[in-house]
Amino acid sequence: MVEEALGPDELDELARRAQAGDRDALEALLTAIRPRALNVCRGVLPHLPDAEDACQEALINIANKIGGWGGRGRFTTWMHVVAVNSARSTYRRMRNQATATDPQDFGPLDRPDPRTTSVIAGTRLDLLEAMETIERDHPQFVEPLLLRDVYGLPYEEIARLVGAPLGTVKAQIHHGRKLARPLLRGSE
């Protein structure tokens, strides 16, 4: 028997019940949103096992931080941000592990050059490296930029999620794009 997907109102109601301490509602909510969270994670980490790890982290974070959803916007939008952050965290962990030495002691493994790694080839390494670079000096631009340009959320929804005025969000995205362009093109 195939279960019918829950609508946004039903998910919001489950989230409210889970916030109130209903463990059954939390389990039902996590089960219902898992496919959506996995899709979000696959948008950042196309290799399925990596995306599954990030999705698992996202579901744990959602369960632990369900009280962080303010109820102003849709629960799924809040869940989307948690999943994106979990995917980015998984990417950082994987990148740090990739700097380990070769088991045959030939020296450090060569890391792919993010300026020449193709997004079309199935990796978002160049984008993620660019976001990491921008985040060091301008962390306020990263989340709005990812939510708009990678996930296509409307400006108004992003403003609600990050708790900033609409004009500020548009400016952050504009400035974030200016910072990202040269990082994505690479230097000649």
Side-chain angles (χ1 to χ4, degrees):
M1 180 174 132
V2 176
E3 265 187 59
E4 193 173 311
L6 297 178
D9 291 336
E10 295 161 311
L11 291 173
D12 287 355
E13 180 55 32
L14 275 177
R16 283 186 199 90
R17 289 179 30 214
Q19 280 183 319
D22 183 336
R23 299 299 297 168
D24 292 335
L26 179 61
E27 289 301 318
L29 179 67
L30 295 175
T31 299
I33 64 169
R34 186 186 185 287
R36 187 180 302 225
L38 181 59
N39 284 337
V40 169
C41 293
R42 286 199 73 180
V44 176
L45 301 163
H47 186 60
L48 183 58
D50 298 338
E52 287 174 339
D53 287 348
C55 179
Q56 186 65 31
E57 181 181 321
L59 294 175
I60 290 168
N61 287 336
I62 289 167
N64 290 334
K65 299 176 182 179
I66 189 84
W69 174 57
R72 292 183 310 265
R74 289 286 185 192
F75 172 78
T76 51
T77 305
W78 179 81
M79 178 232 56
H80 195 102
V81 172
V82 174
V84 166
N85 289 336
S86 295
R88 291 181 65 220
S89 174
T90 298
Y91 165 75
R92 281 186 203 105
R93 188 172 51 253
M94 290 170 24
R95 183 190 64 206
N96 291 338
Q97 290 171 351
T99 61
T101 58
D102 186 279
Q104 296 177 354
D105 226 19
F106 291 118
L109 295 172
D110 290 332
R111 292 180 50 214
D113 183 344
R115 296 169 301 201
T116 60
T117 304
S118 170
V119 174
I120 296 168
T123 181
R124 297 278 175 124
L125 184 60
D126 53 349
L127 175 65
L128 291 170
E129 287 289 340
M131 293 302 107
E132 292 291 314
T133 300
I134 293 168
E135 191 169 39
R136 277 184 231 130
D137 295 323
H138 308 284
Q140 72 275 18
F141 299 150
V142 174
E143 187 175 21
L145 183 60
L146 284 173
L147 292 173
R148 179 67 185 156
D149 289 355
V150 175
Y151 293 101
L153 291 181
Y155 290 107
E156 296 80 10
E157 190 68 27
I158 297 167
R160 272 196 303 276
L161 280 171
V162 300
L166 181 60
T168 300
V169 166
K170 287 182 177 182
Q172 288 174 331
I173 292 168
H174 173 74
H175 292 299
R177 286 173 179 158
K178 285 171 74 174
L179 293 170
R181 278 186 198 109
L183 297 171
L184 293 173
R185 274 186 244 156
S187 57
E188 300 280 325

PDB file of all heavy atoms in Angstrom, residues 114-152:
ATOM      1  N   PRO A 114      38.483  23.389  -7.135  1.00  0.00           N
ATOM      2  CA  PRO A 114      37.076  23.782  -7.204  1.00  0.00           C
ATOM      3  C   PRO A 114      36.773  24.690  -8.383  1.00  0.00           C
ATOM      4  O   PRO A 114      35.637  24.780  -8.812  1.00  0.00           O
ATOM      5  CB  PRO A 114      36.836  24.505  -5.880  1.00  0.00           C
ATOM      6  CG  PRO A 114      38.182  24.852  -5.368  1.00  0.00           C
ATOM      7  CD  PRO A 114      39.139  23.861  -5.937  1.00  0.00           C
ATOM      8  N   ARG A 115      37.782  25.340  -8.949  1.00  0.00           N
ATOM      9  CA  ARG A 115      37.533  26.223 -10.083  1.00  0.00           C
ATOM     10  C   ARG A 115      37.340  25.458 -11.372  1.00  0.00           C
ATOM     11  O   ARG A 115      36.836  25.982 -12.349  1.00  0.00           O
ATOM     12  CB  ARG A 115      38.687  27.207 -10.229  1.00  0.00           C
ATOM     13  CG  ARG A 115      38.793  28.133  -9.021  1.00  0.00           C
ATOM     14  CD  ARG A 115      40.070  28.883  -9.077  1.00  0.00           C
ATOM     15  NE  ARG A 115      41.149  27.897  -9.090  1.00  0.00           N
ATOM     16  CZ  ARG A 115      42.404  28.127  -8.756  1.00  0.00           C
ATOM     17  NH1 ARG A 115      42.763  29.312  -8.397  1.00  0.00           N
ATOM     18  NH2 ARG A 115      43.306  27.186  -8.782  1.00  0.00           N
ATOM     19  N   THR A 116      37.775  24.186 -11.403  1.00  0.00           N
ATOM     20  CA  THR A 116      37.671  23.414 -12.639  1.00  0.00           C
ATOM     21  C   THR A 116      36.746  22.206 -12.492  1.00  0.00           C
ATOM     22  O   THR A 116      36.634  21.416 -13.408  1.00  0.00           O
ATOM     23  CB  THR A 116      39.066  22.932 -13.083  1.00  0.00           C
ATOM     24  OG1 THR A 116      39.618  22.113 -12.052  1.00  0.00           O
ATOM     25  CG2 THR A 116      39.982  24.108 -13.363  1.00  0.00           C
ATOM     26  N   THR A 117      36.128  22.043 -11.356  1.00  0.00           N
ATOM     27  CA  THR A 117      35.231  20.917 -11.145  1.00  0.00           C
ATOM     28  C   THR A 117      33.867  21.249 -11.727  1.00  0.00           C
ATOM     29  O   THR A 117      33.280  22.266 -11.403  1.00  0.00           O
ATOM     30  CB  THR A 117      35.099  20.601  -9.646  1.00  0.00           C
ATOM     31  OG1 THR A 117      36.398  20.382  -9.133  1.00  0.00           O
ATOM     32  CG2 THR A 117      34.250  19.370  -9.416  1.00  0.00           C
ATOM     33  N   SER A 118      33.369  20.385 -12.566  1.00  0.00           N
ATOM     34  CA  SER A 118      32.135  20.660 -13.293  1.00  0.00           C
ATOM     35  C   SER A 118      30.910  20.323 -12.464  1.00  0.00           C
ATOM     36  O   SER A 118      30.776  19.220 -11.952  1.00  0.00           O
ATOM     37  CB  SER A 118      32.106  19.834 -14.577  1.00  0.00           C
ATOM     38  OG  SER A 118      30.840  19.900 -15.166  1.00  0.00           O
ATOM     39  N   VAL A 119      29.999  21.287 -12.358  1.00  0.00           N
ATOM     40  CA  VAL A 119      28.719  21.022 -11.709  1.00  0.00           C
ATOM     41  C   VAL A 119      27.926  20.029 -12.553  1.00  0.00           C
ATOM     42  O   VAL A 119      27.228  19.155 -12.046  1.00  0.00           O
ATOM     43  CB  VAL A 119      27.927  22.341 -11.519  1.00  0.00           C
ATOM     44  CG1 VAL A 119      26.542  22.055 -10.978  1.00  0.00           C
ATOM     45  CG2 VAL A 119      28.674  23.260 -10.585  1.00  0.00           C
ATOM     46  N   ILE A 120      28.063  20.116 -13.861  1.00  0.00           N
ATOM     47  CA  ILE A 120      27.342  19.220 -14.763  1.00  0.00           C
ATOM     48  C   ILE A 120      27.780  17.777 -14.562  1.00  0.00           C
ATOM     49  O   ILE A 120      26.999  16.855 -14.710  1.00  0.00           O
ATOM     50  CB  ILE A 120      27.558  19.656 -16.228  1.00  0.00           C
ATOM     51  CG1 ILE A 120      26.956  21.040 -16.432  1.00  0.00           C
ATOM     52  CG2 ILE A 120      26.970  18.657 -17.205  1.00  0.00           C
ATOM     53  CD1 ILE A 120      27.328  21.702 -17.724  1.00  0.00           C
ATOM     54  N   ALA A 121      29.030  17.572 -14.183  1.00  0.00           N
ATOM     55  CA  ALA A 121      29.536  16.221 -13.971  1.00  0.00           C
ATOM     56  C   ALA A 121      28.987  15.592 -12.702  1.00  0.00           C
ATOM     57  O   ALA A 121      29.312  14.469 -12.381  1.00  0.00           O
ATOM     58  CB  ALA A 121      31.054  16.228 -13.925  1.00  0.00           C
ATOM     59  N   GLY A 122      28.155  16.296 -11.957  1.00  0.00           N
ATOM     60  CA  GLY A 122      27.515  15.692 -10.805  1.00  0.00           C
ATOM     61  C   GLY A 122      28.074  16.122  -9.474  1.00  0.00           C
ATOM     62  O   GLY A 122      27.839  15.464  -8.475  1.00  0.00           O
ATOM     63  N   THR A 123      28.815  17.199  -9.419  1.00  0.00           N
ATOM     64  CA  THR A 123      29.315  17.658  -8.137  1.00  0.00           C
ATOM     65  C   THR A 123      29.028  19.142  -7.975  1.00  0.00           C
ATOM     66  O   THR A 123      28.970  19.871  -8.938  1.00  0.00           O
ATOM     67  CB  THR A 123      30.821  17.386  -7.980  1.00  0.00           C
ATOM     68  OG1 THR A 123      31.210  17.847  -6.698  1.00  0.00           O
ATOM     69  CG2 THR A 123      31.648  18.073  -9.032  1.00  0.00           C
ATOM     70  N   ARG A 124      28.854  19.537  -6.757  1.00  0.00           N
ATOM     71  CA  ARG A 124      28.658  20.945  -6.431  1.00  0.00           C
ATOM     72  C   ARG A 124      29.868  21.466  -5.671  1.00  0.00           C
ATOM     73  O   ARG A 124      29.788  22.431  -4.956  1.00  0.00           O
ATOM     74  CB  ARG A 124      27.406  21.113  -5.556  1.00  0.00           C
ATOM     75  CG  ARG A 124      26.129  20.702  -6.219  1.00  0.00           C
ATOM     76  CD  ARG A 124      25.643  21.830  -7.096  1.00  0.00           C
ATOM     77  NE  ARG A 124      24.488  21.406  -7.834  1.00  0.00           N
ATOM     78  CZ  ARG A 124      23.328  22.027  -7.801  1.00  0.00           C
ATOM     79  NH1 ARG A 124      23.166  23.094  -7.101  1.00  0.00           N
ATOM     80  NH2 ARG A 124      22.331  21.575  -8.513  1.00  0.00           N
ATOM     81  N   LEU A 125      30.996  20.801  -5.841  1.00  0.00           N
ATOM     82  CA  LEU A 125      32.194  21.161  -5.098  1.00  0.00           C
ATOM     83  C   LEU A 125      32.576  22.612  -5.319  1.00  0.00           C
ATOM     84  O   LEU A 125      32.908  23.324  -4.378  1.00  0.00           O
ATOM     85  CB  LEU A 125      33.352  20.240  -5.493  1.00  0.00           C
ATOM     86  CG  LEU A 125      34.654  20.436  -4.731  1.00  0.00           C
ATOM     87  CD1 LEU A 125      34.439  20.208  -3.248  1.00  0.00           C
ATOM     88  CD2 LEU A 125      35.708  19.498  -5.275  1.00  0.00           C
ATOM     89  N   ASP A 126      32.502  23.086  -6.568  1.00  0.00           N
ATOM     90  CA  ASP A 126      32.881  24.471  -6.842  1.00  0.00           C
ATOM     91  C   ASP A 126      31.962  25.441  -6.115  1.00  0.00           C
ATOM     92  O   ASP A 126      32.416  26.418  -5.521  1.00  0.00           O
ATOM     93  CB  ASP A 126      32.918  24.755  -8.341  1.00  0.00           C
ATOM     94  CG  ASP A 126      31.637  24.382  -9.063  1.00  0.00           C
ATOM     95  OD1 ASP A 126      30.762  23.711  -8.467  1.00  0.00           O
ATOM     96  OD2 ASP A 126      31.514  24.753 -10.245  1.00  0.00           O
ATOM     97  N   LEU A 127      30.683  25.165  -6.108  1.00  0.00           N
ATOM     98  CA  LEU A 127      29.728  26.024  -5.418  1.00  0.00           C
ATOM     99  C   LEU A 127      29.959  25.990  -3.910  1.00  0.00           C
ATOM    100  O   LEU A 127      29.975  27.027  -3.248  1.00  0.00           O
ATOM    101  CB  LEU A 127      28.298  25.604  -5.749  1.00  0.00           C
ATOM    102  CG  LEU A 127      27.198  26.340  -4.992  1.00  0.00           C
ATOM    103  CD1 LEU A 127      27.187  27.817  -5.368  1.00  0.00           C
ATOM    104  CD2 LEU A 127      25.856  25.701  -5.261  1.00  0.00           C
ATOM    105  N   LEU A 128      30.135  24.809  -3.369  1.00  0.00           N
ATOM    106  CA  LEU A 128      30.338  24.688  -1.926  1.00  0.00           C
ATOM    107  C   LEU A 128      31.634  25.353  -1.480  1.00  0.00           C
ATOM    108  O   LEU A 128      31.672  26.009  -0.438  1.00  0.00           O
ATOM    109  CB  LEU A 128      30.315  23.216  -1.519  1.00  0.00           C
ATOM    110  CG  LEU A 128      28.935  22.564  -1.654  1.00  0.00           C
ATOM    111  CD1 LEU A 128      29.040  21.060  -1.465  1.00  0.00           C
ATOM    112  CD2 LEU A 128      27.957  23.150  -0.666  1.00  0.00           C
ATOM    113  N   GLU A 129      32.683  25.216  -2.264  1.00  0.00           N
ATOM    114  CA  GLU A 129      33.942  25.893  -1.935  1.00  0.00           C
ATOM    115  C   GLU A 129      33.757  27.404  -1.973  1.00  0.00           C
ATOM    116  O   GLU A 129      34.267  28.124  -1.119  1.00  0.00           O
ATOM    117  CB  GLU A 129      35.057  25.470  -2.897  1.00  0.00           C
ATOM    118  CG  GLU A 129      35.563  24.067  -2.663  1.00  0.00           C
ATOM    119  CD  GLU A 129      36.360  23.916  -1.388  1.00  0.00           C
ATOM    120  OE1 GLU A 129      36.869  24.908  -0.845  1.00  0.00           O
ATOM    121  OE2 GLU A 129      36.477  22.776  -0.914  1.00  0.00           O
ATOM    122  N   ALA A 130      33.004  27.887  -2.961  1.00  0.00           N
ATOM    123  CA  ALA A 130      32.743  29.329  -3.060  1.00  0.00           C
ATOM    124  C   ALA A 130      31.974  29.804  -1.827  1.00  0.00           C
ATOM    125  O   ALA A 130      32.291  30.850  -1.251  1.00  0.00           O
ATOM    126  CB  ALA A 130      31.975  29.652  -4.337  1.00  0.00           C
ATOM    127  N   MET A 131      30.977  29.054  -1.406  1.00  0.00           N
ATOM    128  CA  MET A 131      30.191  29.442  -0.233  1.00  0.00           C
ATOM    129  C   MET A 131      31.056  29.434   1.022  1.00  0.00           C
ATOM    130  O   MET A 131      30.930  30.310   1.879  1.00  0.00           O
ATOM    131  CB  MET A 131      28.979  28.520  -0.050  1.00  0.00           C
ATOM    132  CG  MET A 131      27.927  28.635  -1.138  1.00  0.00           C
ATOM    133  SD  MET A 131      27.248  30.288  -1.319  1.00  0.00           S
ATOM    134  CE  MET A 131      28.006  30.790  -2.854  1.00  0.00           C
ATOM    135  N   GLU A 132      31.960  28.460   1.134  1.00  0.00           N
ATOM    136  CA  GLU A 132      32.874  28.406   2.280  1.00  0.00           C
ATOM    137  C   GLU A 132      33.770  29.649   2.301  1.00  0.00           C
ATOM    138  O   GLU A 132      34.003  30.238   3.350  1.00  0.00           O
ATOM    139  CB  GLU A 132      33.742  27.142   2.215  1.00  0.00           C
ATOM    140  CG  GLU A 132      32.980  25.852   2.422  1.00  0.00           C
ATOM    141  CD  GLU A 132      32.485  25.687   3.833  1.00  0.00           C
ATOM    142  OE1 GLU A 132      33.250  25.911   4.779  1.00  0.00           O
ATOM    143  OE2 GLU A 132      31.314  25.325   3.989  1.00  0.00           O
ATOM    144  N   THR A 133      34.263  30.035   1.139  1.00  0.00           N
ATOM    145  CA  THR A 133      35.140  31.203   1.043  1.00  0.00           C
ATOM    146  C   THR A 133      34.384  32.475   1.424  1.00  0.00           C
ATOM    147  O   THR A 133      34.872  33.291   2.209  1.00  0.00           O
ATOM    148  CB  THR A 133      35.708  31.322  -0.386  1.00  0.00           C
ATOM    149  OG1 THR A 133      36.459  30.136  -0.667  1.00  0.00           O
ATOM    150  CG2 THR A 133      36.603  32.538  -0.535  1.00  0.00           C
ATOM    151  N   ILE A 134      33.190  32.633   0.892  1.00  0.00           N
ATOM    152  CA  ILE A 134      32.385  33.823   1.189  1.00  0.00           C
ATOM    153  C   ILE A 134      32.024  33.865   2.667  1.00  0.00           C
ATOM    154  O   ILE A 134      32.057  34.923   3.302  1.00  0.00           O
ATOM    155  CB  ILE A 134      31.116  33.861   0.316  1.00  0.00           C
ATOM    156  CG1 ILE A 134      31.497  34.069  -1.157  1.00  0.00           C
ATOM    157  CG2 ILE A 134      30.146  34.953   0.783  1.00  0.00           C
ATOM    158  CD1 ILE A 134      30.347  33.839  -2.117  1.00  0.00           C
ATOM    159  N   GLU A 135      31.712  32.713   3.231  1.00  0.00           N
ATOM    160  CA  GLU A 135      31.260  32.653   4.621  1.00  0.00           C
ATOM    161  C   GLU A 135      32.328  33.130   5.603  1.00  0.00           C
ATOM    162  O   GLU A 135      32.001  33.673   6.654  1.00  0.00           O
ATOM    163  CB  GLU A 135      30.828  31.229   4.965  1.00  0.00           C
ATOM    164  CG  GLU A 135      30.106  31.122   6.283  1.00  0.00           C
ATOM    165  CD  GLU A 135      29.461  29.779   6.482  1.00  0.00           C
ATOM    166  OE1 GLU A 135      30.066  28.753   6.103  1.00  0.00           O
ATOM    167  OE2 GLU A 135      28.339  29.753   7.011  1.00  0.00           O
ATOM    168  N   ARG A 136      33.593  32.984   5.252  1.00  0.00           N
ATOM    169  CA  ARG A 136      34.663  33.426   6.150  1.00  0.00           C
ATOM    170  C   ARG A 136      34.582  34.917   6.450  1.00  0.00           C
ATOM    171  O   ARG A 136      34.765  35.337   7.587  1.00  0.00           O
ATOM    172  CB  ARG A 136      36.030  33.093   5.554  1.00  0.00           C
ATOM    173  CG  ARG A 136      36.433  31.674   5.822  1.00  0.00           C
ATOM    174  CD  ARG A 136      37.836  31.379   5.320  1.00  0.00           C
ATOM    175  NE  ARG A 136      37.695  30.174   4.504  1.00  0.00           N
ATOM    176  CZ  ARG A 136      38.151  30.022   3.283  1.00  0.00           C
ATOM    177  NH1 ARG A 136      38.823  30.965   2.697  1.00  0.00           N
ATOM    178  NH2 ARG A 136      37.953  28.909   2.646  1.00  0.00           N
ATOM    179  N   ASP A 137      34.333  35.727   5.421  1.00  0.00           N
ATOM    180  CA  ASP A 137      34.317  37.186   5.600  1.00  0.00           C
ATOM    181  C   ASP A 137      32.921  37.793   5.584  1.00  0.00           C
ATOM    182  O   ASP A 137      32.726  38.889   6.093  1.00  0.00           O
ATOM    183  CB  ASP A 137      35.160  37.862   4.510  1.00  0.00           C
ATOM    184  CG  ASP A 137      36.632  37.500   4.623  1.00  0.00           C
ATOM    185  OD1 ASP A 137      37.126  37.378   5.759  1.00  0.00           O
ATOM    186  OD2 ASP A 137      37.276  37.327   3.574  1.00  0.00           O
ATOM    187  N   HIS A 138      31.977  37.097   4.972  1.00  0.00           N
ATOM    188  CA  HIS A 138      30.620  37.647   4.799  1.00  0.00           C
ATOM    189  C   HIS A 138      29.557  36.571   5.054  1.00  0.00           C
ATOM    190  O   HIS A 138      28.806  36.215   4.149  1.00  0.00           O
ATOM    191  CB  HIS A 138      30.456  38.203   3.379  1.00  0.00           C
ATOM    192  CG  HIS A 138      31.516  39.164   2.979  1.00  0.00           C
ATOM    193  ND1 HIS A 138      31.546  40.464   3.435  1.00  0.00           N
ATOM    194  CD2 HIS A 138      32.611  39.022   2.183  1.00  0.00           C
ATOM    195  CE1 HIS A 138      32.592  41.082   2.925  1.00  0.00           C
ATOM    196  NE2 HIS A 138      33.260  40.232   2.177  1.00  0.00           N
ATOM    197  N   PRO A 139      29.470  36.060   6.273  1.00  0.00           N
ATOM    198  CA  PRO A 139      28.543  34.950   6.537  1.00  0.00           C
ATOM    199  C   PRO A 139      27.076  35.306   6.293  1.00  0.00           C
ATOM    200  O   PRO A 139      26.272  34.435   5.986  1.00  0.00           O
ATOM    201  CB  PRO A 139      28.796  34.612   8.010  1.00  0.00           C
ATOM    202  CG  PRO A 139      29.426  35.833   8.586  1.00  0.00           C
ATOM    203  CD  PRO A 139      30.183  36.487   7.471  1.00  0.00           C
ATOM    204  N   GLN A 140      26.729  36.585   6.384  1.00  0.00           N
ATOM    205  CA  GLN A 140      25.336  36.987   6.223  1.00  0.00           C
ATOM    206  C   GLN A 140      24.822  36.774   4.796  1.00  0.00           C
ATOM    207  O   GLN A 140      23.621  36.751   4.567  1.00  0.00           O
ATOM    208  CB  GLN A 140      25.144  38.453   6.656  1.00  0.00           C
ATOM    209  CG  GLN A 140      25.743  39.481   5.710  1.00  0.00           C
ATOM    210  CD  GLN A 140      27.226  39.766   5.932  1.00  0.00           C
ATOM    211  OE1 GLN A 140      27.940  38.999   6.561  1.00  0.00           O
ATOM    212  NE2 GLN A 140      27.686  40.890   5.406  1.00  0.00           N
ATOM    213  N   PHE A 141      25.716  36.591   3.819  1.00  0.00           N
ATOM    214  CA  PHE A 141      25.285  36.443   2.426  1.00  0.00           C
ATOM    215  C   PHE A 141      25.001  35.002   2.032  1.00  0.00           C
ATOM    216  O   PHE A 141      24.277  34.749   1.076  1.00  0.00           O
ATOM    217  CB  PHE A 141      26.354  36.997   1.472  1.00  0.00           C
ATOM    218  CG  PHE A 141      26.660  38.461   1.649  1.00  0.00           C
ATOM    219  CD1 PHE A 141      27.918  38.949   1.374  1.00  0.00           C
ATOM    220  CD2 PHE A 141      25.696  39.348   2.097  1.00  0.00           C
ATOM    221  CE1 PHE A 141      28.217  40.300   1.532  1.00  0.00           C
ATOM    222  CE2 PHE A 141      25.988  40.700   2.261  1.00  0.00           C
ATOM    223  CZ  PHE A 141      27.246  41.174   1.975  1.00  0.00           C
ATOM    224  N   VAL A 142      25.593  34.047   2.733  1.00  0.00           N
ATOM    225  CA  VAL A 142      25.582  32.658   2.278  1.00  0.00           C
ATOM    226  C   VAL A 142      24.185  32.032   2.305  1.00  0.00           C
ATOM    227  O   VAL A 142      23.721  31.509   1.293  1.00  0.00           O
ATOM    228  CB  VAL A 142      26.587  31.804   3.084  1.00  0.00           C
ATOM    229  CG1 VAL A 142      26.478  30.340   2.720  1.00  0.00           C
ATOM    230  CG2 VAL A 142      28.004  32.310   2.839  1.00  0.00           C
ATOM    231  N   GLU A 143      23.519  32.078   3.442  1.00  0.00           N
ATOM    232  CA  GLU A 143      22.216  31.418   3.538  1.00  0.00           C
ATOM    233  C   GLU A 143      21.198  32.018   2.566  1.00  0.00           C
ATOM    234  O   GLU A 143      20.562  31.261   1.808  1.00  0.00           O
ATOM    235  CB  GLU A 143      21.690  31.456   4.971  1.00  0.00           C
ATOM    236  CG  GLU A 143      20.423  30.638   5.148  1.00  0.00           C
ATOM    237  CD  GLU A 143      19.989  30.583   6.601  1.00  0.00           C
ATOM    238  OE1 GLU A 143      20.378  31.451   7.404  1.00  0.00           O
ATOM    239  OE2 GLU A 143      19.235  29.656   6.925  1.00  0.00           O
ATOM    240  N   PRO A 144      21.030  33.348   2.516  1.00  0.00           N
ATOM    241  CA  PRO A 144      20.071  33.889   1.534  1.00  0.00           C
ATOM    242  C   PRO A 144      20.432  33.521   0.095  1.00  0.00           C
ATOM    243  O   PRO A 144      19.553  33.205  -0.712  1.00  0.00           O
ATOM    244  CB  PRO A 144      20.140  35.403   1.756  1.00  0.00           C
ATOM    245  CG  PRO A 144      20.655  35.572   3.137  1.00  0.00           C
ATOM    246  CD  PRO A 144      21.566  34.408   3.370  1.00  0.00           C
ATOM    247  N   LEU A 145      21.718  33.539  -0.230  1.00  0.00           N
ATOM    248  CA  LEU A 145      22.153  33.220  -1.586  1.00  0.00           C
ATOM    249  C   LEU A 145      21.835  31.772  -1.952  1.00  0.00           C
ATOM    250  O   LEU A 145      21.304  31.497  -3.032  1.00  0.00           O
ATOM    251  CB  LEU A 145      23.656  33.493  -1.727  1.00  0.00           C
ATOM    252  CG  LEU A 145      24.267  33.286  -3.106  1.00  0.00           C
ATOM    253  CD1 LEU A 145      23.609  34.194  -4.135  1.00  0.00           C
ATOM    254  CD2 LEU A 145      25.765  33.543  -3.060  1.00  0.00           C
ATOM    255  N   LEU A 146      22.130  30.838  -1.060  1.00  0.00           N
ATOM    256  CA  LEU A 146      21.813  29.429  -1.322  1.00  0.00           C
ATOM    257  C   LEU A 146      20.302  29.217  -1.446  1.00  0.00           C
ATOM    258  O   LEU A 146      19.839  28.500  -2.341  1.00  0.00           O
ATOM    259  CB  LEU A 146      22.370  28.537  -0.217  1.00  0.00           C
ATOM    260  CG  LEU A 146      23.865  28.272  -0.241  1.00  0.00           C
ATOM    261  CD1 LEU A 146      24.294  27.529   1.012  1.00  0.00           C
ATOM    262  CD2 LEU A 146      24.265  27.493  -1.478  1.00  0.00           C
ATOM    263  N   LEU A 147      19.547  29.829  -0.547  1.00  0.00           N
ATOM    264  CA  LEU A 147      18.096  29.635  -0.567  1.00  0.00           C
ATOM    265  C   LEU A 147      17.472  30.182  -1.851  1.00  0.00           C
ATOM    266  O   LEU A 147      16.517  29.615  -2.375  1.00  0.00           O
ATOM    267  CB  LEU A 147      17.455  30.280   0.658  1.00  0.00           C
ATOM    268  CG  LEU A 147      17.777  29.607   1.986  1.00  0.00           C
ATOM    269  CD1 LEU A 147      17.225  30.432   3.145  1.00  0.00           C
ATOM    270  CD2 LEU A 147      17.248  28.186   2.027  1.00  0.00           C
ATOM    271  N   ARG A 148      18.022  31.264  -2.370  1.00  0.00           N
ATOM    272  CA  ARG A 148      17.473  31.857  -3.592  1.00  0.00           C
ATOM    273  C   ARG A 148      17.993  31.178  -4.847  1.00  0.00           C
ATOM    274  O   ARG A 148      17.223  30.745  -5.704  1.00  0.00           O
ATOM    275  CB  ARG A 148      17.792  33.359  -3.630  1.00  0.00           C
ATOM    276  CG  ARG A 148      17.291  34.048  -4.877  1.00  0.00           C
ATOM    277  CD  ARG A 148      15.790  34.080  -4.919  1.00  0.00           C
ATOM    278  NE  ARG A 148      15.365  34.641  -6.190  1.00  0.00           N
ATOM    279  CZ  ARG A 148      14.200  34.411  -6.735  1.00  0.00           C
ATOM    280  NH1 ARG A 148      13.324  33.658  -6.117  1.00  0.00           N
ATOM    281  NH2 ARG A 148      13.887  34.934  -7.883  1.00  0.00           N
ATOM    282  N   ASP A 149      19.317  31.081  -4.986  1.00  0.00           N
ATOM    283  CA  ASP A 149      19.896  30.648  -6.252  1.00  0.00           C
ATOM    284  C   ASP A 149      20.013  29.141  -6.418  1.00  0.00           C
ATOM    285  O   ASP A 149      20.023  28.656  -7.538  1.00  0.00           O
ATOM    286  CB  ASP A 149      21.265  31.293  -6.460  1.00  0.00           C
ATOM    287  CG  ASP A 149      21.153  32.786  -6.760  1.00  0.00           C
ATOM    288  OD1 ASP A 149      20.013  33.273  -6.898  1.00  0.00           O
ATOM    289  OD2 ASP A 149      22.194  33.451  -6.851  1.00  0.00           O
ATOM    290  N   VAL A 150      20.096  28.408  -5.331  1.00  0.00           N
ATOM    291  CA  VAL A 150      20.165  26.950  -5.450  1.00  0.00           C
ATOM    292  C   VAL A 150      18.776  26.338  -5.298  1.00  0.00           C
ATOM    293  O   VAL A 150      18.382  25.469  -6.063  1.00  0.00           O
ATOM    294  CB  VAL A 150      21.145  26.347  -4.422  1.00  0.00           C
ATOM    295  CG1 VAL A 150      21.124  24.829  -4.468  1.00  0.00           C
ATOM    296  CG2 VAL A 150      22.558  26.871  -4.680  1.00  0.00           C
ATOM    297  N   TYR A 151      18.008  26.834  -4.328  1.00  0.00           N
ATOM    298  CA  TYR A 151      16.722  26.208  -4.048  1.00  0.00           C
ATOM    299  C   TYR A 151      15.529  26.989  -4.561  1.00  0.00           C
ATOM    300  O   TYR A 151      14.402  26.518  -4.474  1.00  0.00           O
ATOM    301  CB  TYR A 151      16.595  25.912  -2.551  1.00  0.00           C
ATOM    302  CG  TYR A 151      17.597  24.858  -2.177  1.00  0.00           C
ATOM    303  CD1 TYR A 151      18.782  25.192  -1.554  1.00  0.00           C
ATOM    304  CD2 TYR A 151      17.393  23.539  -2.530  1.00  0.00           C
ATOM    305  CE1 TYR A 151      19.731  24.234  -1.269  1.00  0.00           C
ATOM    306  CE2 TYR A 151      18.328  22.583  -2.251  1.00  0.00           C
ATOM    307  CZ  TYR A 151      19.495  22.926  -1.622  1.00  0.00           C
ATOM    308  OH  TYR A 151      20.438  21.968  -1.352  1.00  0.00           O
ATOM    309  N   GLY A 152      15.755  28.183  -5.081  1.00  0.00           N
ATOM    310  CA  GLY A 152      14.696  28.926  -5.744  1.00  0.00           C
ATOM    311  C   GLY A 152      13.583  29.425  -4.844  1.00  0.00           C
ATOM    312  O   GLY A 152      12.466  29.657  -5.327  1.00  0.00           O
TER     313      GLY A 152
END
